[in-house]
Amino acid sequence: MAQIAVNPLVLKDVVISFGTDSYEAAVSNVTFTPSASTITWKGLTPAAVYSAATAATWAADLTYVQDWETVNSLSRFLFDNEGAEVAATFKPRSGSGPSFTAILIVTPGAIGGAVDSFGETSVSLGSKGKPALVAAVATVPTVTLAAPATGGIAGGTLVKVTGSRFTGATVVKFGTITATSFTVETDGILYVVAPAAAAGSKPVTVTNAVGVSATSAAYTYA
């Protein structure tokens, strides 16, 4: 019998989108929930008992904060599109792992709430069939920004690097020099201690299991 490894899911850098718009900034919980029942038929003898499970129906349960001031907010989207069918994508880890797609039937959420508290509410959106599991496609990271963009030649500056697909990063380099200390915060943000280097501009690159980032950010030693 094989020993199956586990990679526990922690929801902390998620994508949830409807159509072409992403709403993860407004959502605190997303759960695709199946619901099924058992049916039983009995004959005229005690042994003539048969059971079977019905096919599961699915719903996407969302908890989100109400926002009625932003024109294209999730609250407005659900309110304005009641009954519409929309293509939805749920990616539990934005830069790695699989995603799930489904056609959801829009239901508006509640309006209002308790005084002196955020107006958080929940809604259940029916799914047309079972969500589809879409396998992840491994790609190299992208690097778009290093901040601060300058530091001393002795190194030691804590630099925030922004980009994508940092999950599983193995190496961060400033030019040809490998940083000895870095921490991946999310798939799009990592923090690295700049190594010592000669004066001048150095490209900051990130490497994962697929390869070296195709883009880089400039960091200048002075």
Side-chain angles (χ1 to χ4, degrees), residues 111-149:
I111 302 172
V115 69
D116 289 337
S117 64
F118 287 107
E120 190 173 64
T121 189
S122 297
V123 68
S124 184
L125 310 179
S127 175
K128 294 190 70 175
K130 181 179 180 179
L133 175 62
V134 182
V137 178
T139 55
V140 298
T142 62
V143 176
T144 57
L145 181 67

Side-chain angles (χ1 to χ4, degrees), residues 189-213:
I189 296 174
L190 67 78
Y191 291 90
V192 58
V193 177
S201 179
K202 314 293 182 184
V204 179
T205 58
V206 177
T207 301
N208 65 7
V210 181
V212 182
S213 56

Side-chain angles (χ1 to χ4, degrees), residues 38-51:
T38 301
I39 57 175
T40 300
W41 181 86
K42 292 183 177 182
L44 296 178
T45 62
V49 179
Y50 304 91
S51 296

Side-chain angles (χ1 to χ4, degrees), residues 20-104:
T20 58
D21 296 323
S22 296
Y23 293 100
E24 55 271 7
V27 177
S28 61
N29 180 81
V30 52
T31 308
F32 280 77
T33 306
S35 178
S37 59
T38 301
I39 57 175
T40 300
W41 181 86
K42 292 183 177 182
L44 296 178
T45 62
V49 179
Y50 304 91
S51 296
T54 62
T57 57
W58 289 77
D61 301 313
L62 303 179
T63 302
Y64 64 97
V65 67
Q66 296 176 56
D67 175 7
W68 299 104
E69 297 184 23
T70 304
V71 173
N72 56 350
S73 68
L74 180 58
S75 300
R76 290 279 195 100
F77 174 82
L78 297 176
F79 184 80
D80 293 339
N81 293 280
E82 181 178 4
E85 296 180 1
V86 60
T89 298
F90 170 51
K91 192 171 183 63
R93 287 175 172 160
S94 68
S96 63
S99 59
F100 298 85
T101 61
I103 301 298
L104 302 181

